[in-house]
């Protein structure tokens, strides 16, 4: 049994959008899951329009706290703060898995024109950069088209899932006109993946299931992060 620490950047992923927790329960039923939450750091990044040195330090501190709690593996559940985990990896000795790594790698390997759909503006850059980084490792040339569903995340945080879902669907339809595959840049959209794929008629990727499968493989020693 592994002890897995999950890093969260908003209570919305603990109290409102529960897909990550549901998948952890389903895919890692015998492992111990502990949660570390900085409930304001994502809001700070959105407010500031990017990741400051202070926000990066906050994520490093979360990772250090997880290590001190005895975690065997650390799982970062936030896409917007993904780049901060590169600094966290230098500060801790336990492996860190980013929720988007497996999805980004799959997209880079299987499409040349990739759409990134987000509801938080600060997620677009990190997700696009991660896809391009994986494409570079694979020796592939890809184009990334970004689309922001303006206001959708705030709608979700207010508890209006239906309103959020309508905005995401509209954005996905617009984006799908120009790409071969759509990448959902945030875990908060993942429950919509099956319906979006059916509506758009092209592949739609979401990070939680792919990311948690990678987490399971790392936790059980069958894969390196």
């Amino acid at each position: 049994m592994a002890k897995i620490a999950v890093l969260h950047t908003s209570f919305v992923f603990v109290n409102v959008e529960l897909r990550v927790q549901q998948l952890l329960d389903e895919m890692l039923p015998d492992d111990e899951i502990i949660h570390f939450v900085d409930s304001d750091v994502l809001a700070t990044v959105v407010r500031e329009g990017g990741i400051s040195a202070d926000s990066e330090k906050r994520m490093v501190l979360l990772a250090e706290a997880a290590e001190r709690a005895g975690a065997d593996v650390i799982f970062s559940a936030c896409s917007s703060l993904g780049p901060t985990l590169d600094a966290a990896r230098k500060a801790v000795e336990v492996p860190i898995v980013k929720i988007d790594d497996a999805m980004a790698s799959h997209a880079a390997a299987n499409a040349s024109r990739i759409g990134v759909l987000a509801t938080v503006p600060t997620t677009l850059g990190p997700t696009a950069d991660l896809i391009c980084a994986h494409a570079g490792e694979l020796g592939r040339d890809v184009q990334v088209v970004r689309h922001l569903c303006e206001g959708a995340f705030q709608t979700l945080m207010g508890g209006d899932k239906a309103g959020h879902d309508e905005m995401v669907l509209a954005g996905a339809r617009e984006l799908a006109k120009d790409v071969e595959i759509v990448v959902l840049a945030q875990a908060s959209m993942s429950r919509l993946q099956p319906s979006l794929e059916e509506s758009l008629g092209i592949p739609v990727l979401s990070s939680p299931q792919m990311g948690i499968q990678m987490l399971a493989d790392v936790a059980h020693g069958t894969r390196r992060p």
Side-chain angles (χ1 to χ4, degrees):
M1 182 179 74
K3 189 172 187 177
I4 298 167
V6 183
L7 309 187
H8 300 279
T9 59
S10 170
F11 273 124
V12 72
F13 305 117
V14 180
N15 298 331
V16 179
E17 186 49 71
L18 305 178
R19 183 59 176 156
V20 168
Q21 184 57 55
Q22 291 165 350
L23 285 170
L24 288 168
D25 292 341
E26 292 171 11
M27 299 174 69
L28 295 160
D30 299 322
D31 297 300
E32 180 184 358
I33 309 295
I34 55 176
H35 298 274
F36 292 81
V37 184
D38 182 331
S39 63
D40 178 64
V41 66
L42 177 58
T44 298
V45 169
V46 172
R47 184 171 60 250
E48 295 177 348
I51 300 171
S52 67
D54 284 343
S55 292
E56 179 177 270
K57 183 61 176 177
R58 287 162 70 173
M59 292 301 293
V60 171
L61 289 172
L62 274 189
E64 289 176 336
E67 183 177 51
R68 291 193 182 101
D72 299 304
V73 184
I74 295 171
F75 183 63
S76 172
C78 179
S79 300
S80 289
L81 275 295
T84 66
L85 275 301
D86 296 328
R89 282 173 170 151
K90 299 175 183 177
V92 301
E93 295 184 4
V94 297
I96 295 176
V97 176
K98 296 181 185 181
I99 193 169
D100 292 322
D101 258 329
M103 176 182 69
S105 178
H106 182 87
N110 289 278
S112 296
R113 192 164 174 84
I114 300 164
V116 174
L117 187 70
T119 60
V120 174
T122 51
T123 309
L124 285 170
T127 304
D129 290 346
L130 189 60
I131 292 169
C132 290
H134 280 288
E137 292 172 2
L138 296 169
R140 287 179 51 81
D141 183 22
V142 302
Q143 290 182 295
V144 178
V145 181
R146 310 177 188 189
H147 186 92
L148 175 66
C149 300
E150 189 77 45
F153 188 70
Q154 290 77 7
T155 300
L156 179 64
M157 290 188 73
D160 183 3
K161 282 189 176 183
H164 164 271
D165 295 355
E166 290 177 6
M167 297 167 78
V168 170
L169 177 59
R173 285 175 173 162
E174 184 66 25
L175 180 60
K177 297 175 183 177
D178 299 320
V179 298
E180 303 165 43
I181 193 170
V182 170
V183 168
L184 302 180
Q186 293 148 232
S188 53
M189 295 185 283
S190 65
R191 60 189 166 79
L192 300 176
Q193 184 267 338
S195 59
L196 288 175
E197 193 163 74
E198 181 178 356
S199 175
L200 303 181
I202 61 173
V204 176
L205 303 182
S206 64
S207 59
Q209 186 156 359
M210 300 176 77
I212 292 170
Q213 183 59 61
M214 182 178 180
L215 170 65
D217 293 343
V218 171
H220 300 146
T222 61
R223 181 173 180 175
R224 296 181 64 186

